[in-house]
């Protein structure tokens, strides 16, 4: 019954031969890997707005310059990752690049930062999507947590069904968002071209509560840099593309970057040109949409499409987190179960782990993306910096044609992301960036603990030092746990006597008031050649007294021979 229910929910098992058939074309891959980057305008624009509105009209006037700086940074990072995709066609995520070129420890820093980024992306995307819905329907504002958890469950089940199903289903909200939001931006640009007047923030902005300072501008820039999260996802998932994998992946990255840049610059430019200010319990994108097209059916379609792409933006995490976890598991830095491929040809255990941790974050932070944002960008830019620094080392080592230019671009990427990381860490440290730093350190410690365990087990299982002629052991001692004398015991005793002449039956006495003479007499009647030992258990435990008996027997014989436990069924 449970198996049928499981197959009904996630589908029946697929043969391994279908692995190649589960590859993604560029249309599905854009839907599977880009929602995080494309939808980031929802929370990045909101965080820039919240960071500057406290300085009133003067602060909000810096919105577009900050967006322009972040867009330039986006172009540099995308160009850097385009080279990573070409150099690592089997998947060149931050961990692999840093590990191979900078060493194990920098690689683990990148891996821990990347895993943290994936988890936070899933939590922020889902909670920000629910806020977009609540902006249209304020009655839902108090139900953000259960709605976010419901969406998380839905997207988890979709991902457990497999790559093709994920790409196909995710394509609907992704392309709906692109068509509706781009259409709205083009409509706004057209109105400006045909004479729509600008509106100054001095007219619409609320009074300033803080003075505009360099620190305030840096803080807004740091929070806005969350727009770049998700850029590296395609480089992690190159093997999921149709052949030639690296070419299709790089083309998809370029398309995603162009779309993302237009959405970000277009929305921020229109917001500043029209002097848009959000009302209470409303996002800045909702306010921009109302300003351009009013509160009509088009407004609600755009809000639902924003919810849709923010929901599937978590899919970027579900596409990347299991793959990075599987790579770490293959290197013995995470449990090996994360490397196992499930019935539907996906890393099911990694998907379930990500879903569980994301649910915990949503509950802890009460479904508020603004509280999660300070933790967000630290992980992403740490991974960016180590990855691009690793690529510089890669080009210097390879010395392939044009390596100087490639090293320059990756070096530029490492420099700008490194500086941005310092700005983010400094400006958001008190707000929660310190938590990200602490979590990264704890995850790295966990990596080393897991790795130490696997190396210990490997040493214990090693054949090194054993003689080539392994002689057979003498017949082992056999122990049969006895609960009663029944038909199943007959087969157990017969099997035990077939492999050894040293057989002992053990009865664990959990009830001192019971008369054991009956079971003893029955045992002697049926199995007179097999010794029965009755072991008292004052605390009614069965397993511990049995293990103690085995240890005691081993000490009595001092022969170092293995014991066989035969369980009657």
């Amino acid at each position: 019954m449970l198996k049928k229910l499981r197959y009904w929910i996630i589908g029946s098992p697929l043969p391994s031969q279908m692995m190649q058939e589960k590859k993604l074309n560029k249309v599905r891959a854009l839907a599977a890997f880009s929602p995080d980057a494309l939808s980031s305008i929802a929370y990045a624009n909101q965080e820039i707005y919240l960071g500057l509105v406290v300085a009133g009209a003067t602060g909000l006037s810096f919105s577009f310059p900050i967006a322009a700086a972040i867009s330039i940074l986006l172009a540099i990072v995308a160009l850097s990752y385009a080279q990573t995709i070409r150099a690592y066609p089997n998947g060149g995520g931050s961990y692999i690049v840093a590990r191979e070129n900078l060493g194990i420890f920098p690689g683990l820093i990148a891996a821990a930062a990347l895993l943290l980024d994936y988890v936070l992306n899933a939590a922020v995307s889902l909670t920000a999507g629910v806020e977009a819905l609540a902006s249209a329907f304020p009655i839902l504002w108090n139900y953000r947590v259960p709605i976010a958890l419901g969406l998380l469950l839905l997207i988890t089940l979709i991902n457990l069904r497999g790559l093709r199903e994920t790409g196909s289903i995710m394509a609907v909200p992704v392309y709906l968002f692109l068509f509706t939001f781009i259409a709205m931006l083009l409509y706004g640009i057209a109105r400006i071209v045909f004479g729509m007047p600008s509106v100054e923030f001095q007219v619409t902005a609320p009074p300033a509560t803080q003075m505009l300072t360099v620190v305030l501008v840096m803080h807004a820039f740091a929070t806005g840099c969350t727009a770049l999260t998700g850029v590296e996802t395609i480089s992690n998932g190159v093997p999921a593309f149709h052949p030639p994998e690296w070419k299709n992946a790089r083309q998809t990255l370029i398309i995603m970057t162009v779309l993302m840049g237009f959405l970000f610059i277009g929305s921020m430019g229109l917001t500043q040109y029209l002097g848009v200010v959000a009302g209470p319990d409303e996002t800045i994108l909702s306010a921009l949409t109302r300003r351009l097209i009013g509160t009509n059916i088009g407004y609600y379609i755009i809000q639902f499409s924003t919810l849709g792409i923010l929901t599937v933006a978590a899919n970027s995490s579900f596409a990347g987190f299991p793959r990075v976890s599987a790579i770490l598991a293959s290197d013995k830095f995470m449990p090996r179960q994360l490397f196992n491929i499930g019935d539907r040809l996906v890393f099911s255990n990694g998907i379930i782990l990500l879903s569980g941790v994301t649910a915990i974050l949503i509950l802890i932070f009460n479904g508020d993306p603004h509280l999660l944002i300070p933790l967000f960008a630290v992980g992403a830019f740490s991974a960016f910096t180590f990855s691009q620094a690793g690529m510089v080392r890669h080009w210097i080592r390879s010395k392939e044609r044009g390596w100087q230019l490639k090293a320059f671009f990756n070096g530029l990427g490492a420099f700008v992301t490194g500086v941005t990381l310092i700005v983010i860490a400094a400006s958001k440290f008190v707000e929660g960036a310190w938590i990200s730093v602490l979590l990264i350190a704890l995850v790295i410690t966990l990596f080393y603990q897991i790795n130490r365990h696997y190396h210990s087990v490997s040493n214990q299982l090693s054949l090194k030092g054993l003689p080539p002629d392994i002689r057979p052991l003498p017949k082992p001692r056999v122990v049969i746990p006895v609960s009663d004398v029944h038909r199943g015991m007959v087969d157990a005793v017969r099997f035990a006597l077939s492999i050894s002449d040293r057989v002992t039956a053990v009865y664990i006495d959990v009830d001192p008031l019971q008369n054991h003479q009956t079971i003893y007499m029955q045992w002697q009647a049926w199995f007179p050649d097999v010794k029965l030992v009755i072991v008292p258990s004052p605390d009614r435990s069965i397993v511990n007294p049995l293990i103690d008996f085995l240890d005691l027997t081993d000490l009595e014989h001092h022969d170092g021979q293995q014991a066989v436990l035969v369980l009657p069924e």
Side-chain angles (χ1 to χ4, degrees):
M1 182 65 182
L2 291 177
K3 183 182 292 186
K4 289 182 179 179
L5 178 63
R6 179 165 172 258
Y7 289 168
W8 182 77
I9 294 175
I10 67 172
S12 57
L14 298 174
S16 299
Q17 297 91 306
M18 290 186 63
M19 187 69 79
Q20 290 298 321
E21 299 178 22
K22 302 295 288 185
K23 299 283 187 176
L24 299 176
N25 58 30
K26 288 193 284 288
V27 174
R28 288 196 179 104
L30 184 66
F33 291 111
S34 70
D36 177 15
L38 296 177
S39 67
S40 60
I41 63 168
Y43 45 82
N45 290 23
Q46 180 74 3
E47 291 303 313
I48 293 174
Y49 169 77
L50 293 175
L52 296 175
V53 72
V54 294
T58 306
L60 290 174
S61 64
F62 279 82
S63 299
F64 187 75
I66 289 175
I70 293 174
S71 297
I72 294 173
L73 183 60
L74 167 66
I76 295 173
V77 172
L79 179 61
S80 299
Y81 272 102
Q83 297 190 141
T84 302
I85 290 172
R86 178 64 183 92
Y88 288 86
N90 293 323
S94 303
Y95 167 63
I96 293 178
V97 175
R99 181 199 65 190
E100 291 189 0
N101 298 287
L102 302 178
I104 292 294
F105 184 67
L108 292 180
I109 295 176
L114 193 56
L115 292 179
L116 177 64
D117 178 53
Y118 281 138
V119 173
L120 288 169
N121 166 63
V124 169
S125 297
L126 290 170
T127 53
V130 175
E131 279 199 351
L133 180 64
S135 295
F137 304 97
I139 194 174
L140 300 177
W141 205 260
N142 293 327
Y143 302 96
R144 290 174 297 166
V145 172
I147 295 174
L149 293 176
L151 293 173
L152 175 62
L153 176 62
L154 176 62
I155 202 170
T156 300
L157 295 177
I158 291 173
N159 275 274
L160 287 173
R161 291 193 65 89
L163 282 175
R164 179 172 294 174
E165 285 79 359
T166 301
S168 300
I169 296 174
M170 299 304 169
V172 176
V174 171
Y175 288 110
L176 176 63
F177 173 79
L178 287 174
F179 290 143
T180 56
F181 210 87
I182 289 176
M184 183 192 73
L185 295 180
L186 292 175
Y187 171 72
I189 294 171
R191 289 185 62 183
I192 292 174
V193 171
F194 288 103
M196 185 179 186
S198 63
V199 178
E200 297 296 329
F201 277 124
Q202 282 79 1
V203 178
T204 60
T209 59
Q210 295 183 28
M211 292 184 60
L212 182 67
T213 61
V214 175
V215 174
L216 191 68
V217 174
M218 289 176 59
H219 181 271
F221 172 79
T223 55
C225 283
T226 53
L228 272 68
T229 57
V231 175
E232 80 290 340
T233 305
I234 291 178
S235 69
N236 290 330
V238 176
F241 285 78
H242 273 310
E245 289 86 351
W246 72 269
K247 286 186 177 180
N248 288 325
R250 189 156 69 175
Q251 291 171 7
T252 304
L253 175 64
I254 294 171
I255 295 171
M256 182 189 75
T257 304
V258 172
L259 290 172
M260 180 183 172
F262 176 74
L263 291 171
F264 190 53
I265 286 291
S267 60
M268 292 297 291
L270 287 171
T271 299
Q272 181 157 337
Y273 184 86
L274 300 175
V276 177
V277 176
D281 293 342
E282 183 180 31
T283 64
I284 191 64
L285 286 187
S286 171
L288 174 63
T289 307
R290 289 185 196 272
R291 178 70 175 83
L292 286 174
I293 64 177
T295 307
N296 51 33
I297 185 64
Y299 166 79
Y300 289 105
I301 290 176
I302 290 176
Q303 289 306 104
F304 273 108
S305 69
T306 304
L307 167 65
I309 193 170
L310 280 166
T311 300
V312 301
N315 190 67
S316 297
S317 296
F318 280 90
F321 183 95
R323 292 181 182 278
V324 175
S325 299
I327 295 171
L328 286 164
S330 68
D331 290 342
K332 299 180 179 179
F333 287 106
M334 289 194 78
R336 61 178 179 82
Q337 288 82 356
L338 295 173
F339 185 71
N340 298 338
I341 297 177
D343 291 343
R344 299 291 294 181
L345 304 181
V346 293
F347 297 109
S348 304
N349 292 329
I351 292 173
I352 294 172
L353 175 61
L354 171 62
S355 179
V357 178
T358 302
I360 292 173
L361 282 180
I362 292 174
L363 290 170
I364 291 176
F365 290 92
N366 199 32
D368 189 347
H370 184 62
L371 297 177
L372 289 162
I373 290 293
L375 286 71
F376 200 0
V378 172
F381 278 86
S382 297
F384 290 165
T385 304
F386 280 101
S387 174
Q388 300 315 306
M391 285 302 301
V392 174
R393 184 76 179 275
H394 169 81
W395 297 126
I396 294 175
R397 284 177 172 178
S398 66
K399 294 287 195 303
E400 65 180 57
R401 184 178 180 182
W403 70 270
Q404 295 95 334
L405 183 61
K406 296 175 181 178
F408 169 78
F409 281 117
N410 282 122
L412 180 62
F415 175 76
V416 296
T417 55
V419 171
T420 305
L421 175 62
I422 295 172
V423 172
I424 292 171
S427 62
K428 297 166 66 177
F429 188 82
V430 177
E431 293 185 13
W434 67 270
I435 300 177
S436 295
V437 176
L438 177 61
L439 287 176
I440 290 173
L442 291 175
V443 171
I444 293 173
T445 303
L446 180 62
F447 286 160
Y448 277 111
Q449 290 293 332
I450 293 173
N451 185 258
R452 190 176 297 113
H453 164 75
Y454 279 122
H455 278 293
S456 175
V457 173
S458 178
N459 291 334
Q460 294 177 47
L461 298 178
S462 174
L463 293 172
K464 185 178 180 180
L466 288 178
D469 54 336
I470 305 299
R471 297 180 180 179
L473 292 171
K475 289 185 177 182
R477 295 190 303 277
V478 179
V479 176
I480 308 174
V482 176
S483 60
D484 199 355
V485 180
H486 49 71
R487 185 181 294 270
M489 197 63 64
V490 175
D491 289 336
V493 173
R494 291 177 61 190
F495 172 75
L497 293 174
S498 71
I499 62 174
S500 178
D501 53 4
R502 296 190 295 169
V503 180
T504 303
V506 179
Y507 179 81
I508 306 300
D509 178 13
V510 296
D511 185 1
L513 300 179
Q514 182 180 352
N515 185 3
H516 305 117
Q517 191 64 26
T518 302
I519 191 172
Y520 186 81
M521 292 177 60
Q522 288 179 336
W523 185 267
Q524 291 298 322
W526 282 94
F527 313 112
D529 298 330
V530 177
K531 180 183 178 182
L532 175 65
V533 177
I534 298 178
V535 177
S537 177
D539 58 357
R540 297 168 304 285
S541 172
I542 294 177
V543 176
N544 289 334
L546 178 60
I547 294 176
D548 291 341
F549 174 80
L550 294 173
D551 291 339
L552 180 62
T553 305
D554 183 57
L555 289 173
E556 289 176 352
H557 289 81
H558 295 289
D559 54 5
Q561 297 302 315
Q562 291 179 326
V564 175
L565 201 65
V566 176
L567 302 179
E569 182 181 34

